[in-house]
Amino acid sequence: MTHEGPPLEQLLRRLSECPAEFMGEPRAGAHGCIRVDAVVSDLLVDLGGSPLPPDRCAAFQSSNARKDRNRLGLVLVSSWLLHDAWFRDRRTFAAGALQLLAEGLNELSAMVQAPTTVSDPDRREELARLCLKELSLRPAGESISQAQDRLTTLDSVERSRVIAEGRAAAERARAIREAMAKKSAYEGADKYPRE
């Protein structure tokens, strides 16, 4: 987040206006109609890079519609976001965009459904901030710490991790209480006089 990016409001508005074509069914195997690899390739060219290399196409194709549908849906929505004039005019974000789209959305796709990143204000902001972060950008007018704090607040993956850690800690505490109660009962039984 070392460089200042576009205003966050501009990106949030763009996401809220995501056209139905980018919300359609990504092609996976024989299902779906949108060729995600073609969309990504066009985006890379518009961002000042080369078309998607053939050896990278596999990251945007799938034979398993169930497994990859949401991830590919997030790639489409993110491609729409990154096609904003602010990114296109600078013509320097193709490599970062490819890295983000190929790998940077995997964890989020396990937690958040792609349509939610358009319809829900918090998930819209989370996706916009995640995209900026992966391109080493922060929203215009924000300091690095402000941008990091806000992304951490919205981070679905981090929230899920914290909840899981809390549940595990509660389970450990319950197991310790049970073990202590058993030990106390055992020690009490040992002290009871036998006749």
Side-chain angles (χ1 to χ4, degrees):
M1 296 186 181
T2 54
H3 304 286
E4 191 170 81
L8 183 64
E9 298 76 24
Q10 175 181 328
L11 299 179
L12 298 178
R13 184 176 53 252
R14 183 166 179 84
L15 276 173
S16 70
E17 298 169 351
C18 185
E21 293 81 10
F22 284 84
M23 300 295 293
E25 182 78 26
R27 177 173 277 162
H31 303 285
C33 58
I34 302 174
R35 293 217 26 217
V36 179
D37 56 338
V39 171
V40 170
S41 187
D42 289 347
L43 172 68
L44 295 177
V45 170
D46 290 346
L47 293 177
S50 301
L52 184 65
D55 63 321
R56 298 296 302 263
C57 287
F60 306 105
Q61 300 170 341
S62 174
S63 58
N64 187 338
R66 274 190 190 170
K67 178 183 170 216
D68 288 332
R69 179 178 183 216
N70 192 57
R71 181 184 64 81
L72 293 174
L74 273 176
V75 169
L76 289 171
V77 172
S78 299
S79 295
W80 165 255
L81 177 67
L82 296 176
H83 201 262
D84 185 79
W86 193 94
F87 299 107
R88 289 191 328 260
D89 291 348
R90 280 150 183 83
R91 304 193 55 79
T92 59
F93 294 107
L98 178 57
Q99 182 65 28
L100 165 69
L101 299 172
E103 299 172 10
L105 300 169
N106 294 345
E107 288 184 325
L108 183 63
S109 71
M111 302 287 154
V112 176
Q113 293 299 307
T116 308
T117 61
V118 173
S119 64
D120 180 83
D122 285 343
R123 300 298 61 90
R124 248 193 323 262
E125 185 176 350
E126 179 180 12
L127 180 61
R129 287 180 178 278
L130 176 63
C131 289
L132 288 174
K133 176 186 164 240
E134 293 296 321
L135 297 174
S136 298
L137 299 171
R138 65 183 183 280
E142 290 186 12
S143 69
I144 294 172
S145 63
Q146 287 172 323
Q148 288 172 336
D149 287 347
R150 184 64 183 150
L151 180 57
T152 299
T153 301
L154 294 165
D155 193 336
S156 297
V157 175
E158 179 66 15
R159 184 178 327 109
S160 177
R161 185 189 62 75
V162 168
I163 289 170
E165 286 177 359
R167 286 182 184 148
E171 180 59 30
R172 281 192 305 277
R174 184 194 60 73
I176 290 170
R177 284 191 304 274
E178 286 178 5
M180 289 174 65
K182 285 180 184 178
K183 183 178 180 183
S184 179
Y186 178 75
E187 288 174 354
D190 265 357
K191 292 180 184 177
Y192 190 73
R194 292 184 171 86
E195 295 184 28

